[in-house]
Amino acid sequence: VRGPRFRRLKIGAGHRLDVKASGVFVLGIGHGNKLLTDLYNCHLTKVYTVGGLFGKATDDFSDTGKLVEKTTFDHITREKLERILAVIQGTNRKALLMHSNIDMKTQEAYELAVRGLIRPMGKSPPIITAIRCLQLALPEFQLEIHCLHETQQYLRKVVHEIGLELKSSAVCTQVRRTRDGVFTLDDALLRTQWDLQSVQKAIWDCQLKVKTEIEKTLGHWDNSHLPETAAEMAHAADS
């Protein structure tokens, strides 16, 4: 939206989605941009549903890329796939602990684990905290991946590498984000709901869980981030 009335209304983007991905995409409006920064600093896990197709490889790891190889896949079983996923999860768990800079033998580590706060609180490579097979019907399969500091292209590469580990090849057919930190698909607004009242309701519906997470992880909360009424949001747009 452009024009004199909306020139000073700031809208910020959270963790981005590339053009081949879909799902939960968080935006900050006005003072909510500060909350986006706070949520970034919480380093929360994101969850994706990732589709794959065994039997071919492409130059960009997606099913729409340039075909570079075809392979057999009849030898792949769910047991073999889940064995590879367990190895990936184990390797990433070691990386998670290393980048969290926590001595696992301390009381602090125990308390952080109980609160679900063992995570890198700074920059780190992409880390998969959990991965499981939702469905396998050769040549297609579907995974659920919980991760930190990832890109959607990184997830496509994971699908490619799973194919190689199974002595085959694989391309990614879908990347859909189902959770971004405290936000889920249930919180998302459809295009038909992009109006002032729906946006205000979405903000207030999510306020408590945003506040809870920021207080738990960062230890502070500022009520001035949120508008009190739809009229206040409209005023912010006008001013």
Side-chain angles (χ1 to χ4, degrees):
V1 178
R2 300 185 64 180
R5 295 183 63 184
F6 298 97
R7 192 172 291 159
R8 296 175 62 184
L9 181 63
K10 293 182 179 179
I11 299 179
H15 297 113
R16 298 181 183 275
L17 289 169
D18 64 31
V19 294
K20 294 182 180 180
S22 63
V24 178
F25 179 47
V26 182
L27 298 172
I29 298 178
H31 294 296
N33 284 277
K34 173 62 168 63
L35 285 178
L36 280 179
T37 301
D38 288 342
L39 286 172
Y40 267 132
N41 292 335
C42 290
H43 299 277
L44 301 175
T45 300
K46 296 180 285 299
V47 181
Y48 292 83
T49 299
V50 178
L53 182 73
F54 289 118
K56 65 179 184 178
T58 63
D59 59 346
D60 65 356
F61 313 133
S62 78
D63 59 336
T64 57
K66 181 180 178 182
L67 184 66
V68 296
E69 182 183 25
K70 282 190 174 184
T71 55
T72 59
F73 52 82
D74 294 341
H75 61 284
I76 297 173
T77 64
R78 186 168 188 128
E79 182 182 2
K80 291 179 180 178
L81 174 57
E82 289 182 341
R83 195 178 303 143
I84 296 299
L85 300 184
V87 171
I88 292 173
Q89 184 163 311
T91 302
N92 278 264
R93 187 156 292 175
K94 291 179 182 177
L96 174 63
L97 297 176
M98 181 180 71
H99 289 285
S100 297
N101 296 322
I102 296 173
D103 182 354
M104 296 309 295
K105 297 179 181 179
T106 63
Q107 179 67 21
E108 177 194 15
Y110 171 77
E111 292 174 355
L112 289 172
V114 169
R115 293 163 60 196
L117 293 180
I118 292 184
R119 64 183 81 129
M121 297 308 285
K123 290 185 178 180
S124 78
I127 295 176
I128 293 173
T129 58
I131 182 169
R132 67 188 182 105
C133 177
L134 296 177
Q135 185 177 350
L136 175 63
L138 290 176
E140 298 180 0
F141 63 100
Q142 190 177 64
L143 308 174
E144 181 181 86
I145 302 178
H146 299 234
C147 46
L148 294 155
H149 304 164
E150 81 299 330
T151 64
Q152 289 82 56
Q153 186 61 14
Y154 168 78
L155 298 178
R156 295 185 189 101
K157 187 178 180 182
V158 168
V159 169
H160 167 76
E161 291 173 347
I162 288 172
L164 295 180
E165 289 293 332
L166 289 167
K167 296 180 173 53
S168 180
S169 57
V171 293
C172 183
T173 58
Q174 178 199 46
V175 176
R176 187 175 191 230
R177 185 191 288 156
T178 58
R179 175 185 289 272
D180 185 348
V182 299
F183 301 99
T184 69
L185 288 172
D186 291 337
D187 302 313
L189 297 177
L190 302 175
R191 261 180 214 271
T192 54
Q193 298 172 301
W194 291 358
D195 56 68
L196 182 63
Q197 287 72 30
S198 297
V199 170
Q200 185 214 12
K201 184 177 184 303
I203 290 172
W204 280 102
D205 286 349
C206 292
Q207 178 186 0
L208 180 59
K209 55 186 176 182
V210 171
K211 175 182 178 182
T212 301
E213 185 58 55
I214 290 176
E215 284 184 333
K216 181 175 74 172
T217 306
L218 303 181
H220 67 80
W221 172 257
D222 183 357
N223 285 325
S224 67
H225 295 322
L226 295 172
E228 295 181 357
T229 63
E232 186 179 335
M233 287 185 67
H235 175 72
D238 288 340
S239 61

